[in-house]
Amino acid sequence: MDRTASILPLTLTGVTYEARGQTLIDGISAGLQAGGRCVILGPNGAGKSLLLRLCHGLLRPTAGRIEWAAGTSETVRRRQAMVFQKPVLLRRSAAGNIRYPLRLRGMPRRDRQALVDEALARANLRPVAGRPARVLSGGEQQRLAIARAWVTRPEVLFLDEPTSNLDPAATRAVEELVLAVDRTGTKIVMTTHDLGQARRLADEILFLHGGRLLERTPAAEFFNAPRTGEAAAFLRGDLLW
């Protein structure tokens, strides 16, 4: 990964998003620095997935600014990636899905296979490399989507509920892959509804409620001594409205 012109930090200033007369994201200001895994937590409807889409550039804020540190819009687009809760896979093999973004970027065919093999191995998907991607299990599909996003070596990887509806074994495999990607230097920013997963993976917590950012704090501090009543109630499992 070329670190000569980092696109980080990502700075949000007064970011607001409205739809159908409702304010869904309300004046969020925060900065995402290089290093450390950032987990966005909050009850259903808090705006977690929406915030991720705004950061990734799929949506434009109604008000406020989202600014990357450096690079043209094309550079930023190529240096960050997002994996959705339900993976969007191509009608081709698992290996073909990983090979596709390399071809789009103009990488010579002779150079692609080594990267495809590395990504398959990192995701523990070598045994299913030739199988159609859409017949893989849910956990395999999610690992494939992450491996496909990682093969281009993004500086930032956004993950939206990457283990939603997966069983414990599949969840563990996805978490191991997330940690492996983190070790390569890619910044992980993810949402989850699973407090146990947040405890295992997070270095930093962004806690949202009602579209507002109520806490941004190191994970250990958040879980041991939340600063707001809403965060404390969320950790207790109380319903938040």
Side-chain angles (χ1 to χ4, degrees):
M1 186 186 300
D2 179 10
R3 295 291 187 184
T4 58
S6 175
I7 63 173
L8 289 169
L10 172 62
T11 303
L12 284 69
T13 306
V15 171
T16 297
Y17 185 80
E18 298 176 352
R20 297 182 294 277
Q22 288 188 308
T23 300
L24 304 177
I25 295 292
D26 190 1
I28 289 181
S29 296
L32 296 176
Q33 308 291 330
R37 297 179 297 276
C38 177
V39 172
I40 303 172
L41 278 177
N44 289 338
K48 303 186 296 297
S49 296
L50 186 55
L51 181 61
L52 222 59
R53 284 162 170 75
L54 286 163
C55 290
H56 183 50
L58 290 176
L59 298 171
R60 292 181 179 273
T62 306
R65 302 190 308 277
I66 298 176
E67 299 173 303
W68 296 89
T72 64
S73 58
E74 176 63 16
T75 299
V76 167
R77 185 185 67 79
R78 293 167 65 93
R79 297 286 294 276
Q80 48 113 358
M82 182 167 174
V83 175
F84 298 92
Q85 182 175 340
K86 182 174 175 56
V88 180
L89 300 175
L90 303 173
R91 293 183 182 276
R92 55 189 70 193
S93 69
N97 267 266
I98 295 176
R99 191 176 296 112
Y100 183 71
L102 299 174
R103 182 169 69 82
L104 283 183
R105 296 200 176 196
M107 179 174 289
R109 181 177 296 181
R110 65 181 179 276
D111 298 330
R112 296 175 203 159
Q113 193 57 47
L115 289 174
V116 171
D117 289 343
E118 181 184 1
L120 287 168
R122 194 173 293 274
N124 196 24
L125 291 172
R126 275 182 172 170
V128 299
R131 295 186 63 190
R134 296 186 178 186
V135 304
L136 300 179
S137 70
E140 289 169 338
Q141 289 190 14
Q142 193 63 272
R143 281 184 281 136
L144 176 59
I146 294 172
R148 183 180 61 186
W150 174 80
V151 76
T152 60
R153 303 301 193 269
E155 192 171 345
V156 183
L157 179 57
F158 296 106
L159 302 173
D160 189 14
E161 298 276 6
T163 61
S164 179
N165 301 319
L166 297 184
D167 64 30
T171 294
R172 179 177 179 179
V174 169
E175 289 182 3
E176 289 174 351
L177 178 56
V178 170
L179 292 172
V181 170
D182 170 69
R183 287 193 292 270
T184 68
T186 292
K187 170 77 175 183
I188 300 293
V189 183
M190 63 178 283
T191 66
T192 183
H193 66 280
D194 184 338
L195 285 175
Q197 182 171 82
R199 290 177 185 273
R200 292 188 295 272
L201 295 182
D203 294 309
E204 178 184 45
I205 295 290
L206 270 62
F207 177 71
L208 270 60
H209 177 53
R212 294 180 297 125
L213 178 62
L214 297 190
E215 295 202 30
R216 179 191 176 192
T217 184
E221 183 178 334
F222 176 82
F223 288 113
N224 292 327
R227 299 172 183 174
T228 63
E230 290 90 344
F234 178 73
L235 291 174
R236 289 195 303 268
D238 295 347
L239 293 176
L240 295 178
W241 304 101

